[in-house]
Amino acid sequence: MAAPRLRRATQRLFAMSAVRGRLRRVYSTSHAFAEVLQLPKKQMTKLLYPLQELEQYLAPDSRSDLHLRIFDPSLETIARADTIFTATARNRIDYLSSAVRLDHAPDLPWPEVCFIGRSNVGKSSLIKALFSLAPEVEVRVSKKPGHTKKMNFFRVGKYFTLVDMPGYGYRSPKDFVDMVEAYLKERTNLKRTFLLVDSVVGIQKTDNIAIEMCEEFALPYVMVLTKIDKSSKGHLLKQVLQIQKFVNTQTQGCFPQLFPISAVTYSGIHLLRCFIANITGNLN
């Protein structure tokens, strides 16, 4: 019995090595991803697939709750998505404009995704991390909650538009509800809403208001757990299981897989880029 298992493990090892070699050749211009491919497998899994890295610490009967394999792209697919987020002369990535009302928003032909979340949840830091392959894009990050007061539109080549929404809760704009509600309800090219939740404190009352808004408008949305570098492994596991249970039992439009990320260590950032590229129809 040991020989077949050893043979299968050896085959997987050679397959992984072949994939890494092929990726280094095809995507040699992506220095950031080339560095990822040099990491030991355990570190690479933690960086690219943080939920899978957490799986080993769960009891067997708890693992099915994480829905680890719903979105499980290959290294090649993640590398392709990274090229979409890489600024080049032919792939311009830049800030377009800001708006305080929907009728002031730019009329754009591309698919759109938006990011919403409680003030100080790390939304601007996350967007800055997503755009790290386009360092000339200015994403303002402030230590003070409520820094973003307008809807900020960023163009990612001819692929899609990313919208940074004002934070809700503490120091949110007075017209926040009117601004965001109109956008979520009427923006016809909006493909997915990314709802950010602080992994340290979990879902708060103000988050429930945003969740109810997405559910009421029948919007497809995703929960992104931020600041996972600030949580111990045990605390993070507890939060992931609690929030996953909430998603499974209390929501209709939420994508059933959570996306834990860190804008500091970049854990989960590559996977989130890949998911965005996928839902905007750019990996077909």
Side-chain angles (χ1 to χ4, degrees):
M1 293 295 291
R5 284 200 300 270
L6 180 60
R7 186 162 54 250
R8 286 195 295 270
T10 303
Q11 289 170 346
R12 284 196 300 270
L13 179 61
F14 278 117
M16 177 64 75
S17 298
V19 166
R20 290 183 178 188
R22 190 162 62 249
L23 281 168
R24 289 192 193 103
R25 291 192 298 272
V26 176
Y27 297 100
S28 58
T29 56
S30 176
H31 179 70
F33 203 77
E35 290 183 343
V36 171
L37 294 173
Q38 297 290 341
L39 295 173
K41 185 178 179 181
K42 186 175 181 179
Q43 287 180 255
M44 188 169 67
T45 300
K46 184 177 182 179
L47 180 67
L48 297 180
Y49 308 101
L51 278 180
Q52 291 185 32
E53 196 269 336
L54 287 173
E55 183 183 20
Q56 60 184 307
Y57 300 100
L58 290 170
D61 58 349
S62 301
R63 295 181 181 184
S64 60
D65 292 337
L66 284 180
H67 297 282
L68 296 177
R69 302 294 176 178
I70 289 178
F71 184 70
D72 187 28
S74 65
L75 291 176
E76 290 100 328
T77 305
I78 293 176
R80 284 171 56 204
D82 263 19
T83 64
I84 291 172
F85 280 85
T86 302
T88 65
R90 300 181 65 181
N91 186 45
R92 290 186 59 188
I93 300 175
D94 51 16
Y95 162 79
L96 281 176
S97 65
S98 298
V100 293
R101 297 205 322 248
L102 183 59
D103 56 1
H104 292 169
D107 185 14
L108 303 168
W110 308 297
E112 203 158 89
V113 296
C114 78
F115 285 70
I116 64 173
R118 187 169 54 84
S119 296
N120 206 35
V121 76
K123 181 164 48 62
S124 296
S125 296
L126 167 58
I127 293 172
K128 189 176 180 69
L130 287 172
F131 287 149
S132 63
L133 301 176
E136 293 184 0
V137 177
E138 184 179 1
V139 182
R140 295 183 180 179
V141 177
S142 174
K143 292 182 180 180
K144 295 181 179 180
H147 175 74
T148 304
K149 298 294 185 183
K150 302 177 181 180
M151 299 181 285
N152 297 317
F153 292 78
F154 297 88
R155 174 180 58 180
V156 181
K158 294 183 178 180
Y159 296 107
F160 63 90
T161 310
L162 187 150
V163 187
D164 181 10
M165 306 294 282
Y168 51 77
Y170 179 65
R171 296 189 66 185
S172 63
K174 293 180 181 179
D175 54 352
F176 171 83
V177 173
D178 292 337
M179 184 194 311
V180 174
E181 184 173 304
Y183 173 85
L184 294 178
K185 194 173 183 179
E186 300 176 27
R187 194 69 167 176
T188 55
N189 57 337
L190 178 63
K191 296 299 181 183
R192 198 70 54 112
T193 297
F194 290 82
L195 174 58
L196 276 56
V197 174
D198 190 326
S199 68
V200 179
V201 298
I203 296 174
Q204 302 292 291
K205 289 182 179 179
T206 47
D207 294 320
N208 280 316
I209 296 173
I211 292 168
E212 289 169 6
M213 194 180 293
C214 291
E215 292 286 337
E216 180 183 348
F217 300 152
L219 295 174
Y221 64 105
V222 183
M223 281 201 195
V224 178
L225 309 186
T226 64
K227 305 179 182 180
I228 64 173
D229 56 287
K230 294 187 176 182
S231 291
S232 67
K233 210 147 251 143
H235 181 75
L236 181 58
L237 278 169
K238 181 180 177 181
Q239 291 285 14
V240 165
L241 291 174
Q242 286 180 346
I243 296 171
Q244 186 68 64
K245 183 177 180 181
F246 174 87
V247 169
N248 292 350
T249 60
Q250 304 296 319
T251 70
Q252 296 293 323
C254 188
F255 189 72
Q257 177 177 316
L258 306 177
F259 285 82
I261 63 95
S262 167
V264 175
T265 66
Y266 281 68
S267 180
I269 293 294
H270 295 274
L271 186 66
L272 190 58
R273 284 183 190 140
C274 191
F275 185 74
I276 294 170
N278 184 63
I279 59 161
T280 54
N282 292 300
L283 291 181
N284 297 335

